[in-house]
Each structure stands twice: as structure tokens, then as C-alpha cells.
Amino acid sequence: MELKHGFYHLIAILVVAIWGLTFISTKVLINHGLTPQEIFFYRFLIAYLGIWVISPKRLFTSNWKDELWLMAGGLFGGSLYFFTENTALGITQASNVAFIICTAPLLTTILSLLFYKSEKATKGLIYGSILALIGVGLVVFNGSFVLKLSPVGDLLTLLAALSWAFYSLVIKKMTGRYPTVFITRKIFFYGVLTILPAFLLHPLQPDFNVLLKPVVLSNLLFLAVLASLVCYVLWNVVLKQLGTVRASNYIYLNPLVTMVASVIILHEQITWITLLGAGCIIFGVYQAEKK
């Protein structure tokens, strides 16, 4: 691991750690009656308004092709990703979703190698990725290897993972052409725009008595300001500095953060299988990041 990139590796770990905690906030909001699409809409709308304060000047990209690419980014990294993932959580087991979503780095690597000749897959990266994915399986299923298949839910989760992989490629394409904050602002805008059709089925009916409750408002602000506004900007910087493939490998750490949070917040027990899985994830990510 290069010393000059050490700072960006730390940022990647910090971002993934925050994203690993978002499931708790989402669960709290769902328990207060908010639907997954409402949570996403409020989350990205607040983030968009927040980033507008930082980057208000430029409205559009240099040409319509770039504008379409950023619209695709808002769809893949925003509305489609969250809609498919959250819908899958209501259909299939949470463990299935947690595991399948962690195929995103592997899918990102495959797509990057297909579309970008500049990306190279070393043996360490391939072996490290596979080891980390095995570790994810051990942590998520925790010895209960009775995998209950739910074709619709599992396919939706795979679509979410594929969606995130495409988002990573869109950011790689746009990086260098425009400032990171501008790219992120456009992602939020098109994320909000492309989730609107979902409200044709379930119309948006804001209940301000619920939304202004301290517990609801604080969790929405955590998701919008920290997990979206700050983390999306930082993640897009990380993708630029470390490259799509190397940065994406840190997503394997997500279940690790969830596991630690579950122990601290939900007082769940850690078994030797989850510890073995945690070791596989950490060593696998380390191997994948080595040059």
C-alpha cells in the first residue's frame, strides 16, 4: 500500500464504516412508518439542497452526452440501487441481501476490466477479492448455511449490486472532466428525479408530525448529510485517487461494520465463525489493496 495513497485508503474505510451504520437509521425510519422510497427521496433531496449551498454556480455539463451520463449515475448510484435493495429486503432474507450486495466489488472489477484497458487485475486482487467474499459469507450467514432462495428478492439484490458497479464506472468516466462536488450534486439531482415514478404507485404523503419527531429528523439528517452529502463526495474522490477496482474492494468491509454495530447496539453474540469471517475479510481486502 503506497504511503501517498494511505490517506485515501483511510477515507475509504471511514466512508464504508458510515455506510455500514445506515441500516440502523433506515430501520428506525421504517419503524416510524416511512417507506423505502420516501426515505431515499428525503435523504437525497436534503443532500441535494445541502450540496447546492457548496456548489451553486454551474447548472449543466458541457454537452448533452455528459448530462446523460450523470443522469445514468443518479439512476444507478441512487434511485435504482436503493429501490431494488430496499424492495429486496421486504421479500427475501436480510442475510441474502447482505451477502449478494457484497458481490458489487467483484462485478465492478469484471466490468472495469471489460470497459477500461487501463484497469489491471493482479493475482493478489483476484485472490484477495475471493477471500473477502468468502469472509462476507461467513459473517452474514454465521454458520447457518441453510440458504433460503427467494428468486425475485435475490435477483433484485443482484440488480442493486450490478447497479452500484455501473455507478462506479460512470464516476470513473466523468472524473477529471468536472469537479467532484459538481458531479455529486448532479447525482443527487437525478437520483431524486428518477425516483419520482415510484410515487405513481404509492403517492408521497408527507406527515410532518412524524417527520419533525427528533428521532426521525436526526436519523434523516444522518442519512442525508453524513451518509449521502459528505460520504458521496468523499467516495467519488476515493474512486478518482485509488481507481474504481481498488476503491470498490473496501465495500467488503460493510458487513464487518454491521457485525460490530450489532454487538454494541443490539447486543448480539459473536461466534467463532463470524470471527473467522472477519479475519478473511480483513486479510482479503489487505491482499487486494497490495500492489
Side-chain angles (χ1 to χ4, degrees):
M1 197 183 288
E2 305 151 48
L3 195 63
K4 66 175 182 177
H5 277 155
F7 176 66
Y8 297 107
H9 287 280
L10 285 173
I11 288 177
I13 293 167
L14 179 67
V15 168
V16 170
I18 291 167
W19 282 345
L21 296 172
T22 56
F23 85 101
I24 298 170
S25 288
T26 304
K27 206 168 184 179
V28 168
L29 294 172
I30 286 171
N31 288 341
H32 279 83
L34 275 74
T35 64
Q37 59 263 33
E38 279 180 313
I39 295 167
F40 169 76
F41 177 76
Y42 295 134
R43 176 180 175 172
F44 263 44
L45 184 63
I46 296 167
Y48 177 71
L49 294 173
I51 206 166
W52 184 261
V53 176
I54 305 165
S55 170
K57 291 180 183 177
R58 186 170 187 170
L59 284 178
F60 299 104
T61 55
S62 303
N63 55 72
W64 64 270
K65 281 186 180 177
D66 285 355
E67 199 69 33
L68 285 175
W69 274 112
L70 289 178
M71 183 187 283
L75 176 69
F76 290 130
S79 56
L80 183 62
Y81 173 77
F82 284 101
F83 187 73
T84 49
E85 184 188 46
N86 290 334
T87 305
L89 278 167
I91 299 169
T92 189
Q93 291 187 171
S95 56
N96 286 31
V97 176
F99 178 71
I100 296 168
I101 213 77
C102 276
T103 60
L106 210 54
L107 292 169
T108 303
T109 301
I110 293 164
L111 290 175
S112 294
L113 293 173
L114 285 173
F115 290 109
Y116 295 108
K117 289 177 181 176
S118 59
E119 294 282 9
K120 297 282 184 275
T122 61
K123 281 185 180 178
L125 189 140
I126 294 164
Y127 296 146
S129 295
I130 293 166
L131 184 61
L133 195 57
I134 290 167
V136 168
L138 290 171
V139 169
V140 168
F141 296 111
N142 193 15
S144 303
F145 292 109
V146 185
L147 184 60
K148 293 176 185 173
L149 294 175
S150 167
V152 177
D154 295 343
L155 279 171
L156 278 171
T157 312
L158 193 60
L159 183 60
L162 195 60
S163 185
W164 187 261
F166 275 116
Y167 167 74
S168 300
L169 296 193
V170 169
I171 296 302
K172 181 179 174 67
K173 188 173 181 68
M174 290 293 104
T175 294
R177 297 192 191 188
Y178 305 98
T180 304
V181 175
F182 172 77
I183 291 171
T184 311
R185 195 192 82 210
K186 300 294 282 187
I187 295 296
F188 290 153
F189 174 75
Y190 285 119
V192 170
L193 195 69
T194 52
I195 197 66
L196 294 179
F199 295 117
L200 294 173
L201 295 172
H202 304 283
L204 185 67
Q205 295 172 320
D207 186 342
F208 290 103
N209 289 327
V210 173
L211 291 173
L212 295 175
K213 281 183 182 177
V215 67
V216 172
L217 193 59
S218 60
N219 279 286
L220 266 178
L221 288 174
F222 166 73
L223 289 173
V225 179
L226 191 58
S228 295
L229 198 161
V230 175
C231 284
Y232 266 71
V233 171
L234 290 177
W235 188 252
N236 290 345
V237 170
V238 166
L239 286 173
K240 180 182 178 182
Q241 296 295 329
L242 300 183
T244 313
V245 172
R246 294 180 76 198
S248 296
N249 273 301
Y250 281 108
I251 292 169
Y252 289 122
L253 296 173
N254 231 317
L256 208 59
V257 177
T258 304
M259 181 190 81
V260 174
S262 298
V263 171
I264 296 168
I265 298 162
L266 305 174
H267 308 293
E268 291 183 0
Q269 297 296 309
I270 287 185
T271 66
W272 68 269
I273 291 173
T274 51
L275 283 174
L276 178 65
C280 286
I281 293 169
I282 293 165
F283 188 67
V285 170
Y286 173 73
Q287 282 297 319
E289 292 303 316
K290 275 204 315 183
K291 273 204 166 180

